[in-house]
Amino acid sequence: PGPAQSGILSDREVVNLFLHFTVNPKPKVDYIDRPRCCLRGKECSINRFQQVESRWGYSGTSDRIRFTVNRRISIVGFGLYGSIHGPTDYQVNIQV
């Protein structure tokens, strides 16, 4: 589990973090909320699907997003999504 489910944070801390990342204006927090590095510039979100209906079929071929850039970029996150029918084990290979 992630930090919110691990017991490291109190329930109040979990709520405060959730609010900090989801509402405007942002509530006051007890930690430094400035980025630790100098990630600046345009943020771009790449999505495999424009919208997701109730399900999509798997044909056995690799699903991937491939792109090239002409300058230095920082990848700050990615998401993997699984079954809508409950817990399932997956084997994945991620290359960055």
Side-chain angles (χ1 to χ4, degrees), residues 9-67:
L9 302 172
S10 70
D11 290 345
R12 185 77 243 159
E13 289 170 322
V14 171
V15 170
N16 286 343
L17 282 171
F18 173 78
L19 291 173
H20 178 74
F21 287 109
T22 59
V23 300
N24 279 312
K26 299 199 176 302
K28 183 180 179 320
V29 291
D30 296 330
Y31 52 85
I32 297 170
D33 62 347
R34 291 184 313 276
R36 293 185 203 184
C37 62
C38 52
L39 292 177
R40 294 189 177 95
K42 182 179 176 186
E43 182 177 308
C44 181
S45 179
I46 312 279
N47 297 299
R48 168 71 169 83
F49 301 104
Q50 293 300 318
Q51 66 181 28
V52 177
E53 300 296 331
S54 62
R55 58 177 276 139
W56 60 277
Y58 176 63
S59 64
T61 60
S62 296
D63 281 334
R64 65 179 138 213
I65 297 173
R66 175 180 260 174
F67 58 93

Side-chain angles (χ1 to χ4, degrees), residues 71-88:
R71 63 185 61 134
R72 186 181 174 119
I73 67 167
S74 296
I75 297 178
V76 295
F78 63 90
L80 298 175
Y81 301 90
S83 174
I84 63 171
H85 302 292
T88 303

